[in-house]
Amino acid sequence: MALRKLPRQQRSRDMVDGIVDAARDVLVADGYERLTTNRVADRAGVSPGSLYQYFPDKAAIVEEVTSRYVDRLAEDVVAALVDHVHDEPEAMARATAEALLTALQRDPTLLRVVWQDLPAARHLDDRLGLERRVRDVLRAYLGGRLSAQDRRRDPARASWLIVLAVESLAVRFVLDEDPPLTREEFVDDLVALGIAWL
């Protein structure tokens, strides 16, 4: 938990949200190295003392920004998986790939900062948590679909491979300046890749 203390009143929650939003703006505009607590406080329209009531330092603020960002990504992808858990594999894979791309494309500038610019230690736990949440749902889905003779196909192994490959490819698709395929083609290829592992 990045917060020094939890805001209890609505006014305090609004202030913390404003600080986090301001930190996101400074982070995206100027990068991690130039982000300071004073710049964030100024951008949020609060005193540095008010900021320090909730955040001990800049690392804690950045941790909260990345945590909220990754949590929202995870919620979107897990929701798509859960909503399509009774679908055939291709329909489930397509819906999940679309949800992942939509979530990643919502804020590509912050995605670039989080995945490429921040020191890896600043967000590794959040990224691993995202992967774990998606893998857990996918593993349960695969475990329920595999018949007795298919048990040689380990759901944990398949979910690990699929989630890491799809995440890596989707992030690159969003961040590359000029990917050599359209979004529709990319989703088709992701679905084919996922189905091949099943």
Side-chain angles (χ1 to χ4, degrees):
M1 180 83 154
L3 293 173
R4 177 176 274 169
K5 71 176 186 176
L6 288 176
R8 305 232 182 263
Q9 298 177 345
Q10 185 60 48
R11 187 170 54 100
S12 299
R13 288 192 293 271
D14 290 344
M15 182 176 67
V16 167
D17 289 344
I19 292 168
V20 174
D21 290 345
R24 181 248 174 243
D25 293 346
V26 173
L27 189 61
V28 164
D30 302 322
Y32 178 76
E33 295 302 323
R34 295 193 59 215
L35 184 144
T36 66
T37 53
N38 285 340
R39 292 183 77 191
V40 171
D42 185 53
R43 175 79 181 222
V46 301
S47 70
S50 294
L51 182 146
Y52 284 119
Q53 284 183 341
Y54 297 98
F55 297 97
D57 53 27
K58 99 176 194 176
I61 298 170
V62 171
E63 182 183 335
E64 187 66 17
V65 171
T66 58
S67 178
R68 289 182 184 200
Y69 175 69
V70 171
D71 280 350
R72 186 166 179 200
L73 285 177
E75 287 168 12
D76 290 350
V77 175
V78 169
L81 271 169
V82 170
D83 287 348
H84 297 276
V85 74
H86 298 295
D87 293 354
E88 288 302 311
E90 184 172 340
M92 184 275 299
R94 185 168 302 283
T96 305
E98 290 284 0
L100 175 61
L101 279 177
T102 298
L104 292 174
Q105 289 176 322
R106 185 181 302 121
D107 196 347
T109 310
L110 184 57
L111 174 68
R112 184 174 307 282
V113 170
V114 169
W115 252 258
Q116 294 180 343
D117 298 343
L118 286 182
R122 295 276 180 241
H123 60 85
L124 183 60
D125 287 343
D126 291 326
R127 283 181 59 185
L128 293 176
L130 163 65
E131 292 164 6
R132 201 169 20 257
R133 286 168 66 185
V134 176
R135 273 198 336 256
D136 288 348
V137 175
L138 183 58
R139 184 173 54 238
Y141 172 83
L142 295 175
R145 294 197 67 84
L146 294 177
S147 63
Q149 64 265 30
D150 286 336
R151 288 295 175 201
R152 60 187 166 68
R153 291 181 165 181
D154 180 19
R157 175 183 171 199
S159 63
W160 184 85
L161 285 167
I162 292 167
V163 168
L164 292 183
V166 168
E167 174 194 56
S168 178
L169 289 168
V171 168
R172 284 297 302 270
F173 178 80
V174 173
L175 295 183
D176 277 3
E177 294 295 322
D178 189 20
L181 67 174
T182 66
R183 178 185 165 122
E184 184 178 332
E185 291 169 333
F186 180 68
V187 169
D188 287 345
D189 288 347
L190 280 186
V191 171
L193 192 64
I195 297 300
W197 273 316
L198 302 179

